[in-house]
Amino acid sequence: MEAIPPPPPRILIVDDDESVRDVISVLLREEGYHCSVASGADQALTLAEQEETPLVISDMKMPGKDGLWLLEAFREKHPDTAVIMLTGYGDTEAAVDCLRRGAVDYLLKPPKLTDLIRSIERALAKRRVELARKRYQKKLERKVRDRTTELRNALKDVSTTYQNTLMALVTALDAREHETSDHSQRVVEYTVAIAQRMGIRGPELEEIGRGALLHDIGKIGVPDAVLLKPGKLTPEEWVEMRKHPDIGYAMIAPIPFLAIPAQIVLSHQERFDGRGYPRGLARNEIHIGARIFSVADTLDAMTSDRPYRKGTTFANAIEEIHRCSGSQFDPEVVKAFLEIGEAGLMKIKEDMIARKKAKLAAGGGGGSSGGSTPATGAPAVGLATPIPVSTKIEP
Ligand SMILES: [Fe+2]
């Protein structure tokens, strides 16, 4: 199948000398080219605005705006137009300068027809290649952009699914303890707020938040008789209860993207002074996420209502945490915590409640928020999870 040849390209001839314009245009028309003529740079640019101009043949020396000026103007406004310069004898240096500035060729005046045709064909061929290259590059860029968007969306989906899975797990766990997942979410929010106040950002902040969310995941391995026991735990039962950080760590540590949260899970019951469990780690031996978490968890435990007692005020909880700075808690963490202040901490809780209400009003009460069970109205029997700060390390 024979391809239809493209129409001959239009060539714009620019020269202040009318006879030169005429001779060149007549010769080129005889060769089958379409030709336009201009007597100066401004007219040439006006013509180029009006119709596509693949090629310009311009005189170098023209009164007013010369060929070099026109060349630069075309480079700027019509970068796909090829420009051939016509120069007189003795202008070689200027002609070489033109090549450096983007002209495809230069010819001495008066040009021989064969030289002119060869130069035109070379210029047009070069332009075709250049245009094809640009088209290809644009196509590639578009492809890369499309693929990047697809990949980003896919990652977002994975991340959302993964977050939802973790939330479902935590919700199930909280439900088992007759708790709502609000507790876990509040602890995450307090933890993240303190971490941010300490200057922690980006992936590290996310991992700390995830560690806080999953902190009690190991309670899955604690028997109901112990976890849900209404009264005080016996020493043997405490042994069982104290296994939960190790169980949680064993559960999630093999999952590569939960490696850091696993560290937090393992050490969330440690104390700054080394009197915590399961390892009795102290100070910097405890992951910073766990050191932050323990402050956040204590705040939430003290300020939340339980079936058998009302939560205390934020002011009291803050005072108690301040008192335990350096013993149970890392002083640096407590410092950041105190900087957030009573109003700031209460606002975190109020904002969460407002968000939950808005979600329920919008009919989206399911999922991770623990359904419609209000935080303080859960049909809870006695919790084995000890509430006051000191009982955390009982017996
Ligand atoms: Fe725990």
Side-chain angles (χ1 to χ4, degrees), residues 215-216 219 244-245 268-269 277 293 297 392:
H215 68 276
D216 269 347
K219 283 188 177 170
H244 79 272
H268 78 275
Q269 296 285 7
Y277 66 91
F293 162 82
D297 189 42
K392 282 238 161 209

Side-chain angles (χ1 to χ4, degrees), residues 11 31 87 92 104 115 118 126 133 144 184 212 266 286 344 388:
I11 298 174
E31 292 296 321
T87 64
T92 321
V104 284
D115 289 347
R118 201 179 301 134
K126 197 174 165 198
R133 189 191 63 77
V144 168
S184 300
L266 179 62
I286 308 164

